[in-house]
Amino acid sequence: MPHRVPRPARTPRPSRPPAPLLAAPLLAGALLLAGGCAAPAGGSADRAAAAPARELSAAELRAAAVTDAELGPGFTVTVIAPGHGETGPDGGRETADKPVCQPLLDAVAPAAGPAKAARASASPAPVSAVPYAETDLSVALAADPSGSLYGGLLGYRGDRAARLQAELEGLFAPCAEFSSTAPPPPADRSRGATRTGHRLSRNDTPTPEGADAATGFTLTNESGAVVLAQRAVMARVGPALVVFSTVGVGAEPAPVPDERVVRHQVAKLRAAQKG
């Protein structure tokens, strides 16, 4: 739910080639999306007794991104330059047919600059999914290219991360099936709007050591002949969200995000918050 699976997650958009989340900022509503939220059935409990964590600056959040050296041989981490892969201020806003599902789309399809601010103010969600700082990254796995991850670290003020994750927990029932309409791309206004069907489902996801809570979900994009699926895990670490996602095409399901990557990222972010 929740710039981006996360960037809202930033969770990447299933309708486009895989891109870093977070969302996303839910994944952010998901994306989009993140107190004391109760553990969902098959989900993970919120660790209310976790030690307080400080808010990191944008530079500190970027420095807290896991590196390939920390993950070990076979992993290649790329920290995405700010603005890379974003829809841009003229990219338009995809609109959900069910207003309650809008934060999910906003999280997995984050916008840049003025458009992002406008998106946040227009969202019907009680908590803005837009973080004050965000770092996006991709993690390539040499042994399994299809399992490569796209993710983001999203910093929020106060208890917004917890409240956003609680919002995401409330989207599984009303947004199990919904549709959306997207305007044509800026480069080709002659194309008509695109209508897309989506399915949202929960995945059993244990809470990584060091995280306060975690939520796993899969969001599909069924606009064409081939169904795209984005599988994401969103972990809350103090006032920040860690979102990682993978993408599946057609009969190939989206792989489970590599738990080693998630675990190392959560641990590094928690250590930075304690520093």
Side-chain angles (χ1 to χ4, degrees), residues 18-267:
L21 273 180
L22 62 202
L26 351 237
L27 33 67
L31 158 157
L32 2 200
L33 269 221
C37 63
S44 60
D46 192 6
R47 294 175 177 167
R54 68 187 183 89
E55 296 173 3
L56 301 180
S57 67
E60 289 175 321
L61 193 66
R62 189 174 181 83
V66 71
T67 66
D68 39 18
E70 291 164 339
L71 292 175
F75 294 91
T76 301
V77 178
T78 301
V79 176
I80 310 301
H84 177 79
E86 294 179 339
T87 58
D90 298 318
R93 184 182 196 227
E94 185 167 8
T95 304
D97 63 336
K98 297 179 180 179
V100 69
C101 304
Q102 190 63 47
L104 179 63
L105 294 179
D106 288 347
V108 298
K116 177 184 266 190
R119 205 173 255 176
S121 63
S123 175
V127 184
S128 170
V130 178
Y132 70 83
E134 176 180 347
T135 293
D136 297 324
L137 63 155
S138 65
V139 184
L141 284 64
D144 181 17
S146 66
S148 295
L149 293 85
Y150 309 88
L153 310 183
L154 312 172
Y156 292 92
R157 301 296 185 192
D159 65 349
R160 284 193 174 187
R163 294 168 62 194
L164 284 170
Q165 190 167 40
E167 275 192 25
L168 174 59
E169 292 293 344
L171 295 182
F172 289 106
C175 300
E177 292 188 32
F178 68 102
S179 61
S180 63
T181 302
D188 187 4
R189 295 296 189 186
S190 64
R191 292 171 54 183
T194 300
R195 188 167 179 80
T196 302
H198 304 279
R199 295 175 188 271
L200 176 67
S201 59
R202 187 198 308 278
N203 301 322
D204 289 343
T205 304
T207 300
E209 183 65 31
D212 299 303
T215 302
F217 63 91
T218 295
L219 179 67
T220 66
N221 177 306
E222 304 175 15
S223 60
V226 178
V227 175
L228 301 182
Q230 177 183 358
R231 180 162 182 163
V233 57
M234 177 171 59
R236 180 167 59 82
V237 184
L241 296 178
V242 172
V243 184
F244 279 110
S245 67
T246 60
V247 174
V249 181
E252 293 296 326
V256 177
D258 194 295
E259 64 88 16
R260 294 168 295 178
V261 176
V262 178
R263 176 165 41 83
H264 276 80
Q265 182 58 83
V266 166

